Amino acid sequence: MNSIFISPVYKLEQLRYIFIVLTSKSCNQRCKQCYIDFPINRHDKDFIDINKIKEALVQLKNESIECIYLTGAEPMTHPNFNNILRLCLKYTNVCICTNASFINEKKARFLRKVEDEGKNNLFFRFSLSHYEELKNDMARYRGSFRQTFFALKNLERYGFSIILEIVNYYREEERVLLEMFRKKFEEYGVNPEISIGQYFDKMNPPQEYNDKSKDCTNSRTLTQNGVYSCPYLANDYRGRMGGSFLDYAKSVNAETEYCMECTSCSVIHVS
Ligand code: SF4
């Protein structure tokens, strides 16, 4: 019997969020579970030009963007990161999606100063894979667990809100994950918001679509090369929406392996 594959089409309902990929090749870590295929040569960089971001913000001046997500690979490896952060914060709220390894007490103090310069808010998004240090670090990098809790403590000390995404790498029961993570938070004296995300296994991609909300219905992603549907498909021809925010596609044929499992990364409660 012949079968025809028909992919869903997701329309952009309202442009509420912008993801900016500061780099898709530069990260100071190599997490086992990362969905990015990194270049073999660590010196192969692709940092976005700050002028590209300035241009995009001018093009978006009539939109009501609730939050800009600075993401990557690791956005804080960008040599012009502080200026990009200030630029985006002048425009709207900003969330930094980071592996947490650059945030010590001094950096948290500096970030507090930057946020206090204007009226918009700065948030953070971290992720962990397991409540046991060893199992977490096996899925990520050595030291990831302690580094993340260290960064959480530093940022909370300066009054920041942090979303901690638990990537369910070991496919455990969500109830158990939440309970065990809450115990860890008590132990370390931190109190982030939690969300649970599914692990995307590149070697064994899902075969069916889930019905969770998708980033391509409320956001677009900017990279050095143009505008894309979402961070998963940044710089991937299958997610290309256009060259700039002056003219970009408002619907997506969700036909990639990522589209089946993906769920929205955007934070809803930013105001
Ligand atoms: S992977 Fe991207 S384009 Fe595909 S459904 Fe998810 S958000 Fe939309």
Side-chain angles (χ1 to χ4, degrees):
M1 191 175 77
N2 289 335
S3 60
I4 300 170
F5 175 74
I6 301 176
S7 59
V9 175
Y10 296 122
K11 289 198 185 328
L12 178 66
E13 288 154 16
Q14 193 193 345
L15 189 60
R16 297 173 64 191
Y17 308 109
I18 300 293
F19 291 86
I20 303 181
V21 176
L22 269 53
T23 167
S24 56
K25 292 185 179 169
S26 173
C27 185
N28 56 332
Q29 308 296 348
R30 287 290 182 272
C31 294
K32 192 171 153 196
Q33 65 160 60
C34 187
Y35 70 94
I36 294 175
D37 295 316
F38 284 98
I40 294 167
N41 184 350
R42 273 185 182 253
H43 300 293
D44 192 359
K45 311 279 190 214
D46 65 339
F47 297 120
I48 193 169
D49 188 328
I50 192 168
N51 290 319
K52 183 96 186 168
I53 301 174
K54 282 184 186 162
E55 203 177 86
L57 296 182
V58 171
Q59 291 163 1
L60 290 165
K61 69 177 186 301
N62 294 326
E63 302 282 352
S64 302
I65 303 298
E66 293 172 33
C67 189
I68 292 176
Y69 292 81
L70 300 181
T71 185
E74 175 47 57
M76 295 181 88
T77 60
H78 196 298
N80 217 352
F81 178 79
N82 293 341
N83 288 330
I84 291 173
L85 175 61
R86 282 195 165 101
L87 177 70
C88 294
L89 264 175
K90 271 190 198 151
Y91 179 78
T92 188
N93 302 311
V94 173
C95 180
I96 303 174
C97 308
T98 170
N99 65 25
S101 61
F102 289 98
I103 300 173
N104 55 19
E105 199 271 342
K106 189 174 165 205
K107 190 76 183 178
R109 190 164 11 111
F110 168 76
L111 291 165
R112 163 53 51 219
K113 189 169 152 282
V114 172
E115 193 201 50
D116 287 348
E117 287 167 6
K119 61 178 181 6
N120 292 318
N121 296 320
L122 179 57
F123 302 86
F124 294 83
R125 189 175 184 98
F126 295 166
S127 60
L128 284 172
S129 303
H130 203 266
Y131 47 84
E132 285 175 23
E133 182 173 348
L134 197 60
K135 284 181 100 171
N136 176 78
D137 289 4
M138 271 164 54
R140 294 180 169 253
Y141 63 90
R142 200 166 161 195
S144 142
F145 192 85
R146 286 183 188 217
Q147 197 102 61
T148 303
F149 276 95
F150 178 67
L152 272 169
K153 273 186 104 92
N154 282 320
L155 289 172
E156 285 192 356
R157 182 172 164 197
Y158 284 92
F160 286 111
S161 299
I162 302 117
I163 314 280
L164 183 89
E165 184 185 15
I166 302 165
V167 178
N168 195 357
Y169 181 76
Y170 296 98
R171 302 199 193 279
E172 290 196 8
E173 219 185 300
E174 292 193 1
R175 183 187 55 79
V176 177
L177 273 182
L178 287 172
E179 197 178 309
M180 297 308 286
F181 263 102
R182 287 209 174 98
K183 282 190 182 153
K184 280 286 161 199
F185 296 156
E186 266 174 42
E187 193 184 310
Y188 281 82
V190 292
N191 188 27
E193 286 188 43
I194 317 176
S195 72
I196 296 190
Q198 292 312 309
Y199 165 57
F200 179 78
D201 184 353
K202 279 188 284 197
M203 306 307 287
N204 189 19
Q207 302 298 318
E208 285 178 16
Y209 287 89
N210 68 32
D211 58 359
K212 306 233 170 87
S213 81
K214 314 281 187 188
D215 284 321
C216 56
T217 62
N218 59 24
S219 74
R220 285 294 179 259
T221 294
L222 177 73
T223 81
Q224 180 62 32
N225 303 317
V227 178
Y228 291 81
S229 57
C230 67
Y232 275 123
L233 296 178
N235 296 325
D236 182 325
Y237 71 93
R238 298 170 299 175
R240 187 164 174 84
M241 300 281 102
S244 77
F245 283 110
L246 289 178
D247 185 18
Y248 62 96
K250 307 289 186 308
S251 64
V252 176
N253 265 320
E255 60 188 12
T256 76
E257 63 282 18
Y258 295 112
C259 299
M260 296 200 176
E261 191 153 288
C262 96
T263 55
S264 176
C265 303
S266 40
V267 185
I268 312 299
H269 31 54
V270 290
S271 52

